[in-house]
Amino acid sequence: MKRTMTTPDYLRLVASLDNLDRSIVSLLQADGRMPFSRIAREVGVTEKTARTRVLDLIEQRVMQITAVTDPSVLGYGSAALLCMTNRPDRPASEIARQLQNIPSIDYVVVSASHFSLFAEVLCRDRAALQATIENEVGKIDGIQTIEIVPYLSLHYQLAHFAAAQNKAPSETGVRPREIDGMDVRIIRSLSEDGRKPFLQVAEELGVSEGQVRLRFKNLSDTGTVSVIALINPMSLEFRSMAWVGINVAAGHSVKDVADALARLANTTYIVICAGRYDILTEFICQTDRELLDVIDQSVRSLQGVARLEVSIYSNLFYKRLSTIRDEAISDQQERAGA
């Protein structure tokens, strides 16, 4: 079974963005397909300047505009968070640079916690996941221990960081939903380039532009996909970030606790897991004080939370997911949305 997967570079962390770039990124985090003409009006520059700034940010790998969705739509059937410690003679930052070169790893964290490194691994299936851990991660010199936290279900993600910080009651984020084959193909096309014209998508898929436009609106409205500007949060001054591993008390529903976490401000990512934790949640804040308040006042008080473990980020390497292309996809699946 032949499989190919592109491996784009990680999003580059920049010390700071100027006010214009920050404003443009903020608009594209809210709507990655916003026309250049509207961006120009919103930030008070010419359309040419807005276009140049956006293209420069993309070319410099500061941001990518893509479709954020359930990874299974892109072909990833198995995922896990690897929680690792390093030997004292090998700095965690050096190991992180090696981890980020593994194609199946999309997210690497250097942490000041019980675990010094975290890496999110996404693969086609469990066999590929196990092979990645054994043949690639496990062979990196300096890793002392690896604890695998398998994902059972992606529950929630919200890569629009300002919306996460000031979460509206109506905010639903992106969640897994049942979709047909044509919807899958539309999302996969936009994952390559979130600003790709609908006409081009339609021509690729052999359908009308109107059908693509209507389907995309429905996918967006239902929270199945969101086309936004992805950027390393630390480039936007969200410098206080943490994984929070949660164990749910007996007699309480893991999904109910995950739903409650999704409603909290500053929550950007929630997975239901097996292993050490029942739930893994990512929080993104601007200051340690803000992070402390969220954890102490909001998370600890949630009904059903029995225990939590906080792992503070020291550094983050982050890239967008590319579609796993499998030439053995059945004709039946391809025809499902035709």
Side-chain angles (χ1 to χ4, degrees):
M1 185 179 295
K2 185 176 179 181
R3 170 198 171 218
T4 60
M5 180 174 66
T6 57
T7 55
D9 291 331
Y10 276 71
L11 295 169
R12 189 165 62 86
L13 174 63
V14 294
S16 63
L17 296 173
D18 65 27
N19 290 335
L20 178 55
D21 282 345
R22 191 178 296 110
S23 297
I24 290 172
V25 170
S26 179
L27 291 172
L28 291 171
Q29 278 246 295
D31 177 7
R33 295 184 62 83
M34 183 178 291
F36 290 119
S37 57
R38 182 179 168 192
I39 294 172
R41 289 196 303 272
E42 293 284 347
V43 300
V45 298
T46 65
E47 183 175 343
K48 180 181 178 180
T49 297
R51 184 186 300 271
T52 299
R53 289 283 188 135
V54 170
L55 296 180
D56 282 349
L57 288 167
I58 293 172
E59 183 178 354
Q60 294 167 17
R61 295 187 290 108
V62 174
M63 73 173 184
Q64 292 285 342
I65 300 176
T66 187
V68 174
T69 189
D70 176 8
S72 67
V73 174
L74 303 180
Y76 298 92
S78 187
L81 187 71
L82 306 185
C83 310
M84 294 165 281
T85 61
N86 61 297
R87 293 199 318 260
D89 63 327
R90 281 298 310 279
S93 57
E94 290 183 8
I95 297 173
R97 293 187 186 96
Q98 291 183 263
L99 288 167
Q100 69 172 319
N101 291 326
I102 297 175
S104 298
I105 292 178
D106 74 318
Y107 206 84
V108 180
V109 170
V110 180
S111 177
S113 66
H114 173 72
F115 295 106
S116 53
L117 290 155
F118 296 91
E120 185 178 64
V121 187
L122 298 105
C123 296
R124 175 170 47 82
D125 53 31
R126 289 182 180 175
L129 179 68
Q130 190 65 30
T132 297
I133 295 169
E134 292 179 356
N135 300 329
E136 298 184 75
V137 179
K139 292 183 178 179
I140 294 177
D141 181 49
I143 295 178
Q144 187 163 273
T145 64
I146 302 176
E147 183 168 335
I148 304 169
V149 180
Y151 292 178
L152 298 177
S153 173
L154 170 66
H155 193 78
Y156 173 87
Q157 57 181 327
L158 180 62
H160 181 192
F161 307 127
Q165 188 177 35
N166 302 289
K167 196 170 290 184
S170 59
E171 176 59 64
T172 60
V174 174
R175 297 173 183 258
R177 289 176 173 83
E178 291 292 329
I179 56 177
D180 67 21
M182 182 56 69
D183 285 341
V184 169
R185 295 168 69 191
I186 290 170
I187 292 173
R188 289 186 171 195
S189 180
L190 291 173
S191 73
E192 299 168 359
D193 175 7
R195 293 183 69 84
K196 185 184 295 184
F198 287 136
L199 178 58
Q200 183 179 340
V201 176
E203 290 173 346
E204 290 175 0
L205 304 185
V207 296
S208 70
E209 180 183 3
Q211 183 178 166
V212 171
R213 191 178 297 277
L214 182 63
R215 281 177 173 265
F216 176 76
K217 183 178 186 305
N218 182 62
L219 290 167
S220 298
D221 290 347
T222 58
T224 306
V225 68
S226 179
V227 173
I228 70 167
L230 283 187
I231 187 168
N232 189 316
M234 292 183 173
S235 293
L236 291 177
E237 301 180 355
F238 289 93
R239 301 300 175 95
S240 189
M241 303 174 59
W243 276 118
V244 179
I246 293 172
N247 294 107
V248 176
H252 290 267
S253 164
V254 172
K255 288 185 178 180
D256 286 348
V257 175
D259 282 339
L261 287 164
R263 291 190 289 269
L264 297 181
N266 303 92
T267 315
T268 57
Y269 197 64
I270 300 172
V271 288
I272 295 174
C273 318
R276 172 183 286 259
Y277 311 113
D278 296 315
I279 298 172
L280 274 167
T281 307
E282 183 184 64
F283 288 93
I284 292 181
C285 300
Q286 290 184 312
T287 65
D288 287 346
R289 179 67 191 189
E290 183 181 24
L291 179 61
L292 172 62
D293 288 345
V294 169
I295 293 170
D296 195 42
Q297 297 176 19
S298 300
V299 182
R300 292 186 187 278
S301 63
L302 283 181
Q303 188 175 16
V305 172
R307 177 183 173 275
L308 57 84
E309 184 174 323
V310 181
S311 300
I312 305 293
Y313 292 14
S314 298
N315 202 354
L316 168 65
F317 302 91
Y318 178 33
K319 72 181 178 190
R320 70 180 178 90
L321 291 181
S322 296
T323 299
I324 291 180
R325 299 195 180 281
D326 190 333
E327 292 185 359
I329 293 174
S330 69
D331 290 339
Q332 180 180 4
Q333 182 181 10
E334 286 293 324
R335 291 195 303 266

